[in-house]
Amino acid sequence: MAAYTLTQHMRDCNDSDDSKSNVSSVSSVRIAQPCPCCKKEIQARFMFNHLRKLHPEFVKGMYGIWKRDHMDELIKTNAPFPIEWTTKDDFDDDVSITLWGCLGCNNTYTTEHNAMKHCQGKCKKEHNVNLRKIKKEEQLDKEKRDKKISAERQRWINRTPEQIFSCIQQDLVYYGKKWGAVGDKVVRYLQRLNHENPQKYYYNMYESRDIVFVDDKKKMEEDEKRLNKLLLTWGRDYEDVLPLLWGATDTISHSEYDELEKLIMHCQDYECKF
């Protein structure tokens, strides 16, 4: 009987590992998990097909994630297309999920290794054609986005004195309401903590009283910059108070703190219209 060689032993071990890997992969692809878009329970093996057909915008949103050299590498190696999202586990911790899909037949794989074998085999040509199509679509979309941003920037630069003054007025009204509400809460909470000078956090814009309309674009732009600097200073002052309030859990409830924090952050999403 021939001797059992080291080479045969290594081959048997590798075969065993591959078998275990395949069994594990088969098991994992049949596990249902929530779709990141509609939350419907979908087996992993059908997820890529589900997303491409019912949530194409989600998949398209992945295009912009990959840098150009990364996309070029996907095309060069004919690599499977990765889909990533974040979900919550039973302990409310963030968990990243990555699946790999074939752009030729929409098959889904839970391991990059198995996905690579498929995409470089049965669907090699169709998968590569679609990778190139995705690159072209992303380039066209980027050109459109850049063009839109450029047009918006130019429109902002070309504002008339009247339009600039209109933005100033909108800022005063919006932040007068928002920072005013924030200031009232901050003062009330600091009084609970016996702060030495809580009144200084009452929102006011006395420094802006001299801003009046002048048919001079340069002057209006200077007034707008001055106002923006004042508003930014108020925002930073309120943000600086948050750590103090966050630590005073015996005086400031979690719900009160969360409401104040959201109100401060929400103010930063404002954009004037003209």
Side-chain angles (χ1 to χ4, degrees), residues 160-170 211-213 220:
T160 65
E162 291 83 359
Q163 289 174 323
I164 298 172
F165 187 63
S166 174
C167 287
I168 291 174
Q169 290 179 309
Q170 290 179 57
I211 298 180
V212 295
F213 174 72
M220 288 288 90

Side-chain angles (χ1 to χ4, degrees), residues 102-158:
C102 170
L103 295 167
C105 65
N106 283 350
N107 275 5
T108 314
Y109 295 88
T110 57
T111 66
E112 187 175 13
H113 172 72
N114 288 343
M116 182 73 79
K117 285 170 60 178
H118 172 86
C119 292
Q120 292 184 346
K122 181 179 179 181
C123 290
K124 182 176 181 179
K125 181 178 179 180
E126 192 66 24
H127 180 73
N128 195 261
V129 167
N130 279 282
L131 280 176
R132 295 179 184 277
K133 183 179 178 182
I134 283 175
K135 179 182 177 181
K136 185 175 181 179
E137 287 178 359
E138 176 56 23
Q139 288 175 334
L140 291 173
D141 287 345
K142 185 177 184 304
E143 291 174 4
K144 291 179 181 178
R145 289 195 300 270
D146 291 345
K147 187 176 180 180
K148 181 180 179 181
I149 292 173
S150 178
E152 291 175 349
R153 184 182 295 115
Q154 197 61 42
R155 181 170 175 263
W156 180 265
I157 293 172
N158 292 336

